[in-house]
Amino acid sequence: MSATPSPGPAPDALELAALLCSRVCHDLISPVGAIVNGLEVLDDNPKPEDREFALDLIRKSAKTASARLQFCRLAFGAAGSSGAQIDLGDAQTMARGHLEDAKTKIAWNLPRLLLPKNRVKLLLNMMVIAQQTIPRGGVLTVDSVGEGEGIGFRVAASGLNARMPQNVADLLSSSAAAADAHAVQPYYTRLLAQACGLKVMLAPEGDSVVVTAS
């Protein structure tokens, strides 16, 4: 029986920035590529029905790209100066624009508050992790844990065949877990939780998978 390889060293600040940039580019490649494809169809002087299809593809893809950019700016970017506060109402709007679709809905049970930006970034990243546990769609239920300056969050993902990726759970709970381009988002989520004085966990709960920061 072979030994389990030990994880590599944690990424330094420069490598972490590069990994996050790769993650954002990955999120944008699909809708931007679809816009390019639609424009190529229009350049070929298509029949009226093909032209309408191309225009519809461009409209939908541009809307998707815009929603993803706005979400990534808030979830991964600076989104204001150091110490800035962010309205949870704005976070809800960004989350719905990026994560809600025909298969996945959000039940948002948080009050409208101004919170430090790292806490809001943490919440959005928790929602991304929760959404990935229900590949066939379902409901993301977002609640607060505690109140005041120490407020935390609970995001429950309920859907058909909800699954808990063990590697993601390890990245959230252990500093020994190594991050790469595929794992940088949960790794970054743990760093955000630490910056907020919170501990983030991913665990099954009945038929759901729950991400908690408290």
Side-chain angles (χ1 to χ4, degrees):
M1 182 176 178
S2 61
T4 301
S6 58
D12 60 21
L14 190 60
E15 185 180 2
L16 179 61
L19 291 172
L20 286 172
C21 286
S22 294
R23 166 62 196 247
V24 172
C25 290
H26 177 271
D27 285 349
L28 293 174
I29 283 174
S30 178
V32 172
I35 292 171
V36 172
N37 291 339
L39 291 172
E40 288 176 348
V41 171
L42 293 179
D43 286 340
D44 291 338
N45 296 314
K47 293 181 288 187
E49 59 270 24
D50 292 335
R51 177 181 175 82
E52 187 54 41
F53 171 80
L55 288 172
D56 187 55
L57 176 64
I58 292 170
R59 290 188 198 101
K60 291 180 179 177
S61 300
K63 183 178 179 180
T64 298
S66 177
R68 290 186 182 181
L69 273 171
Q70 292 180 62
F71 182 90
C72 288
R73 178 178 177 271
L74 197 55
F76 303 126
S81 59
S82 177
Q85 292 190 316
I86 297 174
D87 192 326
L88 278 180
D90 293 337
Q92 178 184 184
T93 300
M94 301 301 178
R96 290 191 187 280
H98 178 50
L99 299 175
E100 274 196 324
D101 55 27
K103 298 190 303 179
T104 304
K105 301 302 177 186
I106 295 173
W108 185 275
N109 300 321
L110 299 179
R112 186 148 193 170
L113 298 172
L114 285 173
L115 291 180
K117 67 177 182 180
N118 277 348
R119 263 184 162 70
V120 178
K121 288 156 69 75
L122 171 62
L123 170 61
L124 294 179
N125 278 273
M126 289 170 61
M127 294 182 70
V128 171
I129 291 169
Q131 188 262 347
Q132 292 171 351
T133 69
I134 46 174
R136 300 182 67 175
V139 178
L140 301 178
T141 304
V142 186
D143 294 289
S144 60
V145 177
E147 57 186 16
E149 293 184 358
I151 190 172
F153 307 105
R154 181 181 187 274
V155 183
S158 305
L160 187 63
N161 297 330
R163 57 178 180 80
M164 189 191 81
Q166 188 58 50
N167 65 317
V168 174
D170 292 342
L171 282 158
L172 290 174
S173 63
S174 172
S175 59
D180 56 22
H182 298 289
V184 66
Q185 194 266 326
Y187 178 87
Y188 180 64
T189 303
R190 179 168 57 79
L191 295 182
L192 285 170
Q194 290 176 347
C196 297
L198 302 173
K199 182 177 181 181
V200 62
M201 296 178 60
L202 177 69
E205 189 174 298
D207 295 331
S208 304
V209 177
V210 180
V211 192
T212 307
S214 60

mmCIF file of all heavy atoms in Angstrom, residues 17-33 65 68-69 72 76 181 184:
data_model
loop_
_atom_site.group_PDB
_atom_site.id
_atom_site.type_symbol
_atom_site.label_atom_id
_atom_site.label_comp_id
_atom_site.label_asym_id
_atom_site.label_seq_id
_atom_site.Cartn_x
_atom_site.Cartn_y
_atom_site.Cartn_z
ATOM 1 N N ALA A 17 -2.482 35.166 -5.965
ATOM 2 C CA ALA A 17 -3.089 36.122 -6.889
ATOM 3 C C ALA A 17 -3.219 35.509 -8.278
ATOM 4 O O ALA A 17 -4.253 35.665 -8.949
ATOM 5 C CB ALA A 17 -2.253 37.398 -6.944
ATOM 6 N N ALA A 18 -2.190 34.779 -8.725
ATOM 7 C CA ALA A 18 -2.229 34.157 -10.043
ATOM 8 C C ALA A 18 -3.305 33.079 -10.107
ATOM 9 O O ALA A 18 -4.030 32.962 -11.111
ATOM 10 C CB ALA A 18 -0.858 33.556 -10.378
ATOM 11 N N LEU A 19 -3.446 32.285 -9.040
ATOM 12 C CA LEU A 19 -4.452 31.229 -9.013
ATOM 13 C C LEU A 19 -5.861 31.816 -9.037
ATOM 14 O O LEU A 19 -6.752 31.298 -9.719
ATOM 15 C CB LEU A 19 -4.266 30.354 -7.770
ATOM 16 C CG LEU A 19 -3.011 29.478 -7.738
ATOM 17 C CD1 LEU A 19 -2.860 28.810 -6.373
ATOM 18 C CD2 LEU A 19 -3.052 28.420 -8.833
ATOM 19 N N LEU A 20 -6.079 32.903 -8.294
ATOM 20 C CA LEU A 20 -7.397 33.542 -8.300
ATOM 21 C C LEU A 20 -7.712 34.144 -9.669
ATOM 22 O O LEU A 20 -8.855 34.071 -10.137
ATOM 23 C CB LEU A 20 -7.471 34.620 -7.219
ATOM 24 C CG LEU A 20 -7.594 34.113 -5.780
ATOM 25 C CD1 LEU A 20 -7.470 35.273 -4.797
ATOM 26 C CD2 LEU A 20 -8.917 33.391 -5.566
ATOM 27 N N CYS A 21 -6.708 34.729 -10.319
ATOM 28 C CA CYS A 21 -6.920 35.266 -11.668
ATOM 29 C C CYS A 21 -7.303 34.142 -12.626
ATOM 30 O O CYS A 21 -8.186 34.312 -13.478
ATOM 31 C CB CYS A 21 -5.661 35.976 -12.166
ATOM 32 S SG CYS A 21 -5.359 37.582 -11.400
ATOM 33 N N SER A 22 -6.662 32.986 -12.492
ATOM 34 C CA SER A 22 -7.002 31.839 -13.329
ATOM 35 C C SER A 22 -8.436 31.410 -13.095
ATOM 36 O O SER A 22 -9.166 31.070 -14.041
ATOM 37 C CB SER A 22 -6.055 30.670 -13.042
ATOM 38 O OG SER A 22 -4.738 30.975 -13.441
ATOM 39 N N ARG A 23 -8.865 31.447 -11.840
ATOM 40 C CA ARG A 23 -10.234 31.067 -11.509
ATOM 41 C C ARG A 23 -11.239 32.023 -12.162
ATOM 42 O O ARG A 23 -12.245 31.588 -12.742
ATOM 43 C CB ARG A 23 -10.399 31.065 -9.984
ATOM 44 C CG ARG A 23 -11.844 31.007 -9.479
ATOM 45 C CD ARG A 23 -12.540 29.725 -9.924
ATOM 46 N NE ARG A 23 -13.968 29.843 -9.787
ATOM 47 C CZ ARG A 23 -14.693 29.137 -8.930
ATOM 48 N NH1 ARG A 23 -14.107 28.279 -8.129
ATOM 49 N NH2 ARG A 23 -15.996 29.288 -8.906
ATOM 50 N N VAL A 24 -10.974 33.320 -12.077
ATOM 51 C CA VAL A 24 -11.880 34.303 -12.676
ATOM 52 C C VAL A 24 -11.929 34.130 -14.195
ATOM 53 O O VAL A 24 -13.008 34.158 -14.809
ATOM 54 C CB VAL A 24 -11.444 35.731 -12.306
ATOM 55 C CG1 VAL A 24 -12.264 36.758 -13.071
ATOM 56 C CG2 VAL A 24 -11.595 35.954 -10.802
ATOM 57 N N CYS A 25 -10.773 33.934 -14.818
ATOM 58 C CA CYS A 25 -10.732 33.736 -16.271
ATOM 59 C C CYS A 25 -11.519 32.495 -16.669
ATOM 60 O O CYS A 25 -12.237 32.499 -17.682
ATOM 61 C CB CYS A 25 -9.289 33.621 -16.749
ATOM 62 S SG CYS A 25 -8.343 35.165 -16.647
ATOM 63 N N HIS A 26 -11.411 31.440 -15.880
ATOM 64 C CA HIS A 26 -12.161 30.206 -16.159
ATOM 65 C C HIS A 26 -13.658 30.476 -16.154
ATOM 66 O O HIS A 26 -14.404 29.969 -16.996
ATOM 67 C CB HIS A 26 -11.802 29.143 -15.115
ATOM 68 C CG HIS A 26 -12.568 27.870 -15.251
ATOM 69 N ND1 HIS A 26 -13.793 27.668 -14.623
ATOM 70 C CD2 HIS A 26 -12.308 26.736 -15.945
ATOM 71 C CE1 HIS A 26 -14.240 26.460 -14.929
ATOM 72 N NE2 HIS A 26 -13.362 25.878 -15.725
ATOM 73 N N ASP A 27 -14.122 31.305 -15.204
ATOM 74 C CA ASP A 27 -15.550 31.620 -15.109
ATOM 75 C C ASP A 27 -16.033 32.439 -16.307
ATOM 76 O O ASP A 27 -17.218 32.389 -16.658
ATOM 77 C CB ASP A 27 -15.841 32.399 -13.822
ATOM 78 C CG ASP A 27 -15.807 31.504 -12.593
ATOM 79 O OD1 ASP A 27 -15.771 30.273 -12.753
ATOM 80 O OD2 ASP A 27 -15.814 32.048 -11.471
ATOM 81 N N LEU A 28 -15.132 33.199 -16.927
ATOM 82 C CA LEU A 28 -15.537 34.110 -17.997
ATOM 83 C C LEU A 28 -15.339 33.541 -19.403
ATOM 84 O O LEU A 28 -15.895 34.065 -20.367
ATOM 85 C CB LEU A 28 -14.766 35.423 -17.881
ATOM 86 C CG LEU A 28 -15.092 36.274 -16.654
ATOM 87 C CD1 LEU A 28 -14.159 37.473 -16.586
ATOM 88 C CD2 LEU A 28 -16.538 36.742 -16.699
ATOM 89 N N ILE A 29 -14.546 32.488 -19.533
ATOM 90 C CA ILE A 29 -14.227 31.959 -20.861
ATOM 91 C C ILE A 29 -15.479 31.534 -21.608
ATOM 92 O O ILE A 29 -15.655 31.846 -22.792
ATOM 93 C CB ILE A 29 -13.236 30.776 -20.745
ATOM 94 C CG1 ILE A 29 -11.831 31.299 -20.483
ATOM 95 C CG2 ILE A 29 -13.252 29.928 -22.005
ATOM 96 C CD1 ILE A 29 -10.816 30.217 -20.202
ATOM 97 N N SER A 30 -16.384 30.833 -20.919
ATOM 98 C CA SER A 30 -17.562 30.289 -21.600
ATOM 99 C C SER A 30 -18.475 31.370 -22.179
ATOM 100 O O SER A 30 -18.770 31.351 -23.386
ATOM 101 C CB SER A 30 -18.339 29.378 -20.643
ATOM 102 O OG SER A 30 -19.505 28.885 -21.267
ATOM 103 N N PRO A 31 -18.948 32.357 -21.383
ATOM 104 C CA PRO A 31 -19.837 33.363 -21.976
ATOM 105 C C PRO A 31 -19.143 34.261 -22.996
ATOM 106 O O PRO A 31 -19.747 34.646 -24.001
ATOM 107 C CB PRO A 31 -20.335 34.166 -20.768
ATOM 108 C CG PRO A 31 -19.310 33.955 -19.709
ATOM 109 C CD PRO A 31 -18.812 32.560 -19.921
ATOM 110 N N VAL A 32 -17.872 34.597 -22.769
ATOM 111 C CA VAL A 32 -17.162 35.441 -23.735
ATOM 112 C C VAL A 32 -16.952 34.677 -25.041
ATOM 113 O O VAL A 32 -17.102 35.233 -26.140
ATOM 114 C CB VAL A 32 -15.814 35.921 -23.149
ATOM 115 C CG1 VAL A 32 -14.983 36.624 -24.219
ATOM 116 C CG2 VAL A 32 -16.060 36.864 -21.972
ATOM 117 N N GLY A 33 -16.639 33.389 -24.940
ATOM 118 C CA GLY A 33 -16.497 32.573 -26.142
ATOM 119 C C GLY A 33 -17.789 32.487 -26.926
ATOM 120 O O GLY A 33 -17.795 32.505 -28.166
ATOM 121 N N ALA A 65 -21.911 37.120 -18.691
ATOM 122 C CA ALA A 65 -20.556 37.609 -18.453
ATOM 123 C C ALA A 65 -20.569 38.799 -17.497
ATOM 124 O O ALA A 65 -19.727 38.897 -16.595
ATOM 125 C CB ALA A 65 -19.892 37.997 -19.772
ATOM 126 N N ARG A 68 -21.265 37.584 -13.926
ATOM 127 C CA ARG A 68 -20.094 36.899 -13.354
ATOM 128 C C ARG A 68 -19.001 37.891 -12.993
ATOM 129 O O ARG A 68 -18.338 37.741 -11.962
ATOM 130 C CB ARG A 68 -19.577 35.845 -14.331
ATOM 131 C CG ARG A 68 -20.510 34.657 -14.481
ATOM 132 C CD ARG A 68 -19.934 33.555 -15.342
ATOM 133 N NE ARG A 68 -20.888 32.464 -15.475
ATOM 134 C CZ ARG A 68 -20.648 31.347 -16.158
ATOM 135 N NH1 ARG A 68 -19.496 31.184 -16.779
ATOM 136 N NH2 ARG A 68 -21.571 30.403 -16.227
ATOM 137 N N LEU A 69 -18.797 38.898 -13.833
ATOM 138 C CA LEU A 69 -17.781 39.904 -13.532
ATOM 139 C C LEU A 69 -18.125 40.668 -12.257
ATOM 140 O O LEU A 69 -17.257 40.901 -11.406
ATOM 141 C CB LEU A 69 -17.654 40.880 -14.702
ATOM 142 C CG LEU A 69 -16.693 40.498 -15.818
ATOM 143 C CD1 LEU A 69 -16.839 41.458 -16.997
ATOM 144 C CD2 LEU A 69 -15.257 40.495 -15.319
ATOM 145 N N CYS A 72 -17.565 38.319 -9.288
ATOM 146 C CA CYS A 72 -16.145 38.081 -9.018
ATOM 147 C C CYS A 72 -15.477 39.313 -8.425
ATOM 148 O O CYS A 72 -14.592 39.198 -7.576
ATOM 149 C CB CYS A 72 -15.432 37.653 -10.301
ATOM 150 S SG CYS A 72 -15.847 35.987 -10.852
ATOM 151 N N PHE A 76 -13.938 38.186 -5.037
ATOM 152 C CA PHE A 76 -12.489 37.989 -5.098
ATOM 153 C C PHE A 76 -11.696 39.288 -5.121
ATOM 154 O O PHE A 76 -10.510 39.288 -4.809
ATOM 155 C CB PHE A 76 -12.119 37.188 -6.355
ATOM 156 C CG PHE A 76 -12.806 35.858 -6.464
ATOM 157 C CD1 PHE A 76 -13.517 35.522 -7.597
ATOM 158 C CD2 PHE A 76 -12.754 34.937 -5.433
ATOM 159 C CE1 PHE A 76 -14.161 34.302 -7.711
ATOM 160 C CE2 PHE A 76 -13.396 33.716 -5.527
ATOM 161 C CZ PHE A 76 -14.105 33.393 -6.670
ATOM 162 N N ALA A 181 -4.881 25.373 -8.970
ATOM 163 C CA ALA A 181 -5.851 26.156 -9.731
ATOM 164 C C ALA A 181 -7.274 25.659 -9.534
ATOM 165 O O ALA A 181 -8.226 26.437 -9.588
ATOM 166 C CB ALA A 181 -5.481 26.135 -11.218
ATOM 167 N N VAL A 184 -8.238 26.582 -5.467
ATOM 168 C CA VAL A 184 -7.910 27.872 -4.865
ATOM 169 C C VAL A 184 -9.129 28.526 -4.222
ATOM 170 O O VAL A 184 -9.000 29.235 -3.218
ATOM 171 C CB VAL A 184 -7.270 28.817 -5.910
ATOM 172 C CG1 VAL A 184 -8.262 29.194 -7.005
ATOM 173 C CG2 VAL A 184 -6.723 30.066 -5.235
#
